[in-house]
Amino acid sequence: MRLIHTSDWQIGKVFRFADDDVLPVLQHERLEAISRIGRLARAQGADAVVVAGDIYDYTRPAERTLRQPIERMRQFPDLRWHLIPGNHDFHEPDGLWDRLLRTGLPDTILPHLSDDPAPLDAAGTAWVIPAGLGHRHVIGDPTAGMDRSATPEGAMRVGLAHGSVRTFGEDAPDHNVIAIDRARQAGLSYLALGDWHGALRIDARTWYSGTPEVDGFDVGGAGGGQALLVTLDGPRAEPVVEAHDVGRFRWRREQAVLTDGAGIEALDARLRAIDRDDPSRVLVRLAVSGALNLTDLEYYQARIVDGLGSALRLLRIDGTPGLAPSPDDLDGFGLAGAVRAAADALVRQTHDGPEDGRDIAAAALQRLYLLARAGDPQSGGGAA
């Protein structure tokens, strides 16, 4: 049989760094990912989709947020959707899971709120053994009961859990910790895990699917934006696992040291190359340093901040190029007079003034430069 393994949808997630026009797009795309998962399952002949926790981002979603992923899954009545609570949407009394049950779910959408095994596919050739979370932090291994879970003779056993394995290093939490060899101990054909947001193989029978729509700059290069197609040919046959892209957005951390116009152009080309066909799919957190003269600083503002910032879905810039005015820049203020004197004074402050005032002096010099250019007929500014 075939199944799709996914997790960490985190519907309703709030991206606090995103502008008002970006936030609803990111939230909507998380719902769109559910539809892409359903289409993938159909195209690959999968019998079921197992969702290893964190369907929602928090335990008290608004009614619309609560129902939206259900309506997406409802569009695929030929699939069985198996859900468990994770640490973000844990099962609490009269919480979101009880609210969902009261809405009247289709028979094909199956929340597992206990650890009782249940048929994974309609034929019962495989059984899901769930280990959802009843609290945000569970002391001990939430999958310990899988060893004792009884299933029909000859059925494939698929574990479904949410938590961390010990191989994440010394900083791994002491809660929701899953034994790294649980699949072997419990005789599982496959153990589908959630919590880690990048696709990750633990062993041949144990995988994290990662989030289907990347949700942060630190996950972009670590296997996020995928769902796993799992083929099981028998209870003891080693599963065949294939990752399929289902995410839309591309998240990147980038850095640049800028010293001249050529560097600005190279940066623009590099960031646009992340997705040449559709830069609106790209979100970048850019760390900028270096120093530019006034002309190039104006070019940086126009080419990167305004131009590229309008092309990408999001361009978040940390830092700014320093100011290194050239003789030609200063000549633009004239060779004498009050404006040139003010420009010279600001230059001295950017180099020799108090450290906490240098950025202010640089900003004032740039503003003065723009005003001077606006009044210079040869620059294209000034009154008509």
Side-chain angles (χ1 to χ4, degrees):
M1 72 163 297
R2 286 184 158 193
L3 61 91
I4 298 293
H5 169 199
T6 179
S7 71
D8 297 278
W9 294 354
Q10 293 189 247
I11 301 302
K13 184 177 179 67
V14 176
F15 298 86
R16 301 191 185 281
F17 57 82
D19 296 334
D20 291 343
D21 61 331
V22 174
L23 174 59
V25 177
L26 297 180
Q27 291 178 328
H28 177 73
E29 210 58 43
R30 304 194 77 73
L31 291 168
E32 287 290 293
I34 302 174
S35 299
R36 289 192 288 270
I37 290 168
R39 291 193 292 271
L40 172 66
R42 277 180 175 170
Q44 296 294 330
D47 300 280
V49 179
V50 296
V51 191
D54 282 359
I55 288 84
Y56 300 91
D57 193 49
Y58 41 84
T59 57
R60 300 288 176 175
E63 193 67 21
R64 175 177 170 80
T65 304
L66 181 74
R67 292 173 179 264
Q68 282 178 317
I70 301 301
E71 293 305 317
R72 295 299 178 120
M73 289 182 276
R74 193 192 296 271
Q75 296 171 14
F76 299 90
D78 49 323
L79 301 174
R80 294 166 68 90
W81 300 77
H82 296 270
L83 319 177
I84 62 167
N87 64 310
H88 280 256
D89 57 1
F90 57 89
H91 181 213
E92 59 181 351
D94 202 33
L96 71 87
W97 295 98
D98 292 336
R99 289 169 59 197
L100 274 178
L101 292 177
R102 289 196 294 268
T103 67
L105 297 176
D107 293 341
T108 54
I109 301 177
L110 306 166
H112 297 281
L113 306 181
S114 70
D115 58 2
D116 296 329
L120 181 70
D121 59 328
T125 56
W127 285 60
V128 61
I129 305 175
L133 298 180
H135 301 277
R136 185 175 182 87
H137 301 309
V138 175
I139 302 301
D141 186 344
T143 67
M146 288 183 177
D147 299 4
R148 303 182 297 275
S149 294
T151 53
E153 184 71 25
M156 291 178 280
R157 293 161 57 88
V158 176
L160 186 58
H162 192 90
S164 300
V165 296
R166 297 184 185 277
T167 54
F168 289 146
E170 297 178 357
D171 295 333
D174 59 0
H175 50 259
N176 309 340
V177 177
I178 296 170
I180 194 171
D181 61 345
R182 178 60 61 204
R184 181 189 62 78
Q185 291 187 42
L188 303 178
S189 302
Y190 184 77
L191 176 54
L193 296 179
D195 193 33
W196 192 251
H197 281 207
L200 182 65
R201 179 186 187 274
I202 301 303
D203 61 37
R205 299 185 184 277
T206 306
W207 284 74
Y208 284 93
S209 65
T211 180
E213 186 64 56
V214 177
D215 56 4
F217 296 103
D218 294 322
V219 185
Q226 298 178 322
L228 302 181
L229 172 66
V230 182
T231 302
L232 300 171
D233 290 330
R236 301 314 306 158
E238 186 171 297
V240 177
V241 181
E242 304 171 30
H244 288 259
D245 291 334
V246 292
R248 177 186 177 194
F249 291 122
R250 302 174 182 272
W251 299 62
R252 296 288 189 274
R253 278 188 183 270
E254 300 286 342
Q255 59 182 4
V257 180
L258 300 177
T259 58
D260 55 27
I264 295 169
E265 293 169 358
L267 173 62
D268 181 87
R270 170 157 58 97
L271 297 187
R272 289 180 184 274
I274 295 172
D275 194 322
R276 298 183 189 279
D277 295 330
D278 187 3
S280 70
R281 296 175 59 193
V282 178
L283 298 92
V284 172
R285 184 167 185 177
L286 174 65
V288 173
S289 60
L292 298 170
N293 62 37
L294 284 165
T295 302
D296 287 340
L297 199 58
E298 184 181 9
Y299 185 44
Y300 164 77
Q301 177 70 35
R303 182 79 178 257
I304 302 299
V305 179
D306 298 332
L308 188 63
S310 299
L312 304 185
R313 177 62 58 181
L314 177 74
L315 177 60
R316 180 179 176 183
I317 300 176
D318 299 324
T320 185
L323 180 61
S326 69
D328 289 342
D329 290 331
L330 295 179
D331 288 346
F333 295 104
L335 299 179
V339 175
R340 176 57 185 257
D344 289 339
L346 288 170
V347 170
R348 288 194 296 272
Q349 289 184 48
T350 62
H351 291 287
D352 304 324
E355 187 170 348
D356 57 356
R358 294 177 185 176
D359 289 343
I360 297 174
L365 181 61
Q366 185 181 11
R367 180 62 177 164
L368 186 63
Y369 175 74
L370 294 175
L371 289 172
R373 281 177 56 83
D376 180 1
Q378 294 185 5
S379 71

